[in-house]
Amino acid sequence: MSKETFDVAVIGGGLVGLALAYGLGRLGNRVVILDEGDVAYRASRGNFGLVWVQGKGVGKSAYSNWTQRSARDWPQLAAMLRETAGIDVSLEQPGGFQVCLSDAEMQAKVDQMSTLMAQPGIDRYDYRICGADELRQTFPGLGPDVVGGSWSGLDGHVNALRLFRALLVAAQHYGARYVPNTPVSRIEQGDGQFALHTPAGVFRAGKTVLAAGIDNARLAPLMDMQVPVRPQRGQIIVMERMPRFMSHPIVTLRQTDEGTVLIGDSLEEVGRDDRVGSEILATLADRAVRIFPALASARVVRTWGALRVMSPDGFPIYAQSRSMPGAFAATCHSGVTLAAAHALHLAPHIHAGSLPESLSPFFMDRFDVQTRA
Amino acid sequence: MFKRALDEAGHRAPVAFFFDGTAMVAREGDSVAAALIANGIKAVRHTPAQGQPRAPYCMMGVCFDCLVTIDGAANQQACLVAVAPGMSVCTQARAMPLASASKGAQ
């Protein structure tokens, strides 16, 4: 094992790491994926599964544009995964809604979207503020508390667990080696190679990509980078399968192609704690029942908590090490939405050896006032 | 496949019920899931997504594999409901509407 040399070592076997491993493998790289294993706080197995554009990017047009690009390329990614991995990730992009339960929520949504669309540099996309009557035509079972909402045509959802599996199978199809239960403890660079020290031995690679979720904060300094991410908890409620009654996803409520209904509507700053709490779950359930009163009799079959990977400003961080050329880091809280951008657009830049100026809005020096002021 | 470990002598009273219209006999205090297993039923439903057969598994309300329709109410957990005289239990092979759908949303 220590004799073998790879073109790229990807640290982290979640959605970000696997999308990059797949994208790099497609370009002919010999890739090894070093994954901490199932003890890791995997955002990739706990996420809500939205491919979502509307509302994202207030304060950073480049993030909206990058997200839009990924959403537009998602059908291509889904087709490629079906072809390469033989897995249908159940992508549906019929457009998605946000539903508001008070005039204050409605006004906040109107303000958010108009602020976003007025930002310099934004690629304006199709969206609509909807009245309650229009929403009722799309969703016949809406409750009386719904006052209105918004729609965007780029939004959709996927089966996120099948995506997780498909990216791994597709990466392996291109020769990537997946090594589980292999946390990286030390990284050195010498003779144009990285040596990654793990309990399973030393792995050598020409480039290293850090995609380890919240552990990026610990690992990035090993390659002279700073990726100051923190965990942010979300909780999800899964209800029994029922005949399809939702034709479109709502940002906090969606029904899968197989009939399962999921609620996901919370943000909590609780550190590395991925447990569920009945107070938050009760609030989630209450809001869902106000949106669709018939859900009051639906049975809850599972709940879980998972940790988002949050940067200080909430936007992705893509970084390259100045002192260790060939070392990169990628982190975001939207590994599903951005999977297409990561596999199809970010991976080629890593393959080429440096991140372009077009991605500079996501570089770490945005947090450095002396550089960016 | 299964036989009763307790009450082999049949001290508990017999309870007549129906599974998909077939008359069956349970013992008083059986859960519906136990009653079906004791009657040799191997699949109590087929999954809505892939049509695979499912039998009661955890027997304690967690796995949701034993969903059946009981006296017209869909998606009941057979392991959590006690069998009752004359009860009509039916298998399911598709996603079932919510129980309140027929009564209408409040």
Side-chain angles (χ1 to χ4, degrees), chain B residues 21-67:
Chain B
T22 302
M24 295 185 173
V25 178
R27 295 283 173 187
E28 194 171 26
D30 283 356
S31 68
V32 172
L36 292 172
I37 288 170
N39 277 275
I41 301 299
K42 293 197 174 67
V44 301
R45 69 176 180 114
H46 286 74
T47 60
Q50 296 179 326
Q52 294 178 343
R54 285 288 184 273
Y57 177 63
C58 75
M59 299 298 279
M60 60 182 192
V62 174
C63 76
F64 290 82
D65 264 347
C66 65
L67 297 179

Side-chain angles (χ1 to χ4, degrees), chain A residues 207-219:
Chain A
K207 297 191 186 90
T208 296
V209 181
L210 188 54
I214 52 180
D215 233 19
N216 285 337
R218 177 180 69 84
L219 289 163

Side-chain angles (χ1 to χ4, degrees), chain A residues 240 242-243 294 297 299-301, chain B residues 64 75-77 95-96 98 100:
Chain A
E240 60 189 297
M242 48 197 95
S297 63
R299 213 169 285 238
V300 171
V301 298
Chain B
F64 290 82
N75 283 352
Q76 303 301 300
Q77 290 171 278
M96 303 301 280
L98 291 172
S100 73

Side-chain angles (χ1 to χ4, degrees), chain A residues 279-302:
Chain A
E279 197 176 320
I280 295 285
L281 293 176
T283 305
L284 299 190
D286 179 61
R287 286 186 63 88
V289 167
R290 288 172 67 196
I291 294 172
F292 289 112
L295 290 177
S297 63
R299 213 169 285 238
V300 171
V301 298
R302 254 175 283 289

